[in-house]
Amino acid sequence: MDPDRQGVSGLAGLNVAPFPDRVVEMISDLIATGEIRGGDRLAEKALADLLGVSRTPLREAIKILTARGLAKSRPNAGAVVSLPDEREAAELVQVMGWLWEKMAPLVCQNMTGEQLAGIEALHLEMCALDRQEQMLDWAKLNRRFHESIIAASDNEVLCEIALNLQMRIYLCFAIGQRTVERQAQSNREHGEIVEVLTARDSARLAGVLMGHTNRAFDTAYETGILKQESGTESDANADKGATKPQT
């Protein structure tokens, strides 16, 4: 993790509750904003200082992240954030598509009026964050926007699977969202998602959500981010057959 990356220092000094689950949430925000990227080492001292926690809950949080496939333990190197290669990225998109198909009818059936209003409020708040220096705040709201849709399915097992997969997906493209133009495109797509949610059109919802996910991966490929970051891992991935996710 590079402490000089934009916005990281702004998190220093926050009063974070010293519990593993809360620490997991904070690290998840850093992943969602691209401040922690795939392949970054989770240096205990630097991360503990950044989050304002002791090493004990941090170590427990890293164990949770490792169990979820978001981190890996390396000999003599501690834990590092998992780095999806191109093949795994394609598989993540494929599985997320299956999950959206299962979740869309449940979301449209079980979503409360309060949940819908909350999702719409997040969208409007994100639309107001249209300056370069607001990108990190936008990224955190973006994470909550998608997690709120998943939670509206009201299926705990499906939510657990989808939320974990969503975090792994952020490792592939979060950093690629850091332009005003790409955020504006995402905001337009979020507006369409809110429109479909309001209509409770489950058939259309699955397609819109999948198109949104595919567009984010297209960005990662077009900008070279996924290829570049995948290349920073060991050469063990060099012989894997990689295919771009299909829209």
Side-chain angles (χ1 to χ4, degrees), residues 33-140:
T33 58
E35 295 174 271
I36 288 180
R37 309 179 194 178
D40 280 351
R41 188 167 71 90
L42 296 173
E44 285 187 9
K45 186 179 186 306
L47 199 51
D49 290 344
L50 178 67
L51 300 179
V53 301
S54 68
R55 293 198 188 188
T56 298
L58 177 60
R59 286 169 182 159
E60 291 301 313
I62 291 174
K63 287 180 182 178
I64 293 171
L65 293 169
T66 300
R68 294 178 181 175
L70 292 168
K72 297 177 182 178
S73 179
R74 294 285 180 83
N76 304 317
V80 297
V81 181
S82 296
L83 183 65
D85 58 25
E86 291 183 79
R87 177 176 177 177
E88 183 179 359
E91 292 170 349
L92 286 170
V93 172
Q94 185 179 41
V95 175
M96 198 69 211
W98 295 338
L99 289 177
W100 283 136
E101 288 179 3
K102 297 297 182 183
M103 281 189 292
L106 293 175
V107 170
C108 291
Q109 175 183 324
N110 298 328
M111 179 179 56
T112 67
E114 183 178 358
Q115 287 174 318
L116 177 58
I119 292 168
E120 184 174 11
L122 286 168
H123 166 56
L124 294 175
E125 191 172 353
M126 291 167 71
C127 288
L129 301 177
D130 57 359
R131 298 195 304 274
Q132 187 78 24
E133 64 269 22
Q134 297 173 312
M135 286 186 179
L136 296 180
D137 290 333
W138 183 93
K140 293 174 186 177

Side-chain angles (χ1 to χ4, degrees), residues 4-226:
D4 291 327
R5 288 182 190 157
Q6 177 188 0
V8 174
S9 59
L11 288 172
L14 288 179
N15 184 20
V16 181
F19 299 102
D21 288 344
R22 177 58 181 154
V23 178
V24 167
E25 281 299 300
M26 290 300 298
I27 296 174
S28 295
D29 262 346
L30 293 172
I31 291 173
T33 58
E35 295 174 271
I36 288 180
R37 309 179 194 178
D40 280 351
R41 188 167 71 90
L42 296 173
E44 285 187 9
K45 186 179 186 306
L47 199 51
D49 290 344
L50 178 67
L51 300 179
V53 301
S54 68
R55 293 198 188 188
T56 298
L58 177 60
R59 286 169 182 159
E60 291 301 313
I62 291 174
K63 287 180 182 178
I64 293 171
L65 293 169
T66 300
R68 294 178 181 175
L70 292 168
K72 297 177 182 178
S73 179
R74 294 285 180 83
N76 304 317
V80 297
V81 181
S82 296
L83 183 65
D85 58 25
E86 291 183 79
R87 177 176 177 177
E88 183 179 359
E91 292 170 349
L92 286 170
V93 172
Q94 185 179 41
V95 175
M96 198 69 211
W98 295 338
L99 289 177
W100 283 136
E101 288 179 3
K102 297 297 182 183
M103 281 189 292
L106 293 175
V107 170
C108 291
Q109 175 183 324
N110 298 328
M111 179 179 56
T112 67
E114 183 178 358
Q115 287 174 318
L116 177 58
I119 292 168
E120 184 174 11
L122 286 168
H123 166 56
L124 294 175
E125 191 172 353
M126 291 167 71
C127 288
L129 301 177
D130 57 359
R131 298 195 304 274
Q132 187 78 24
E133 64 269 22
Q134 297 173 312
M135 286 186 179
L136 296 180
D137 290 333
W138 183 93
K140 293 174 186 177
L141 292 174
N142 182 54
R143 177 190 168 204
R144 282 153 183 75
F145 177 84
H146 292 96
E147 289 182 352
S148 296
I149 296 172
I150 291 170
S153 69
D154 197 29
N155 182 307
E156 291 186 7
V157 174
L158 196 57
C159 283
E160 182 179 356
I161 295 170
L163 289 172
N164 181 55
L165 190 62
Q166 190 77 15
M167 287 309 306
R168 294 176 69 184
I169 285 174
Y170 282 133
L171 290 172
C172 298
F173 67 77
I175 195 67
Q177 295 294 91
R178 281 200 193 172
T179 70
V180 172
E181 294 76 19
R182 293 191 183 101
Q183 287 181 197
Q185 175 64 29
S186 288
N187 286 339
R188 288 191 291 272
E189 293 173 8
H190 290 166
E192 183 179 8
I193 291 169
V194 170
E195 176 186 317
V196 175
L197 286 169
T198 302
R200 296 183 185 267
D201 186 341
S202 61
R204 187 180 170 201
L205 180 61
V208 169
L209 287 168
M210 196 58 231
H212 183 58
T213 301
N214 274 325
R215 196 274 310 159
F217 271 93
D218 285 343
T219 296
Y221 281 98
E222 289 165 4
T223 59
I225 292 164
L226 185 58

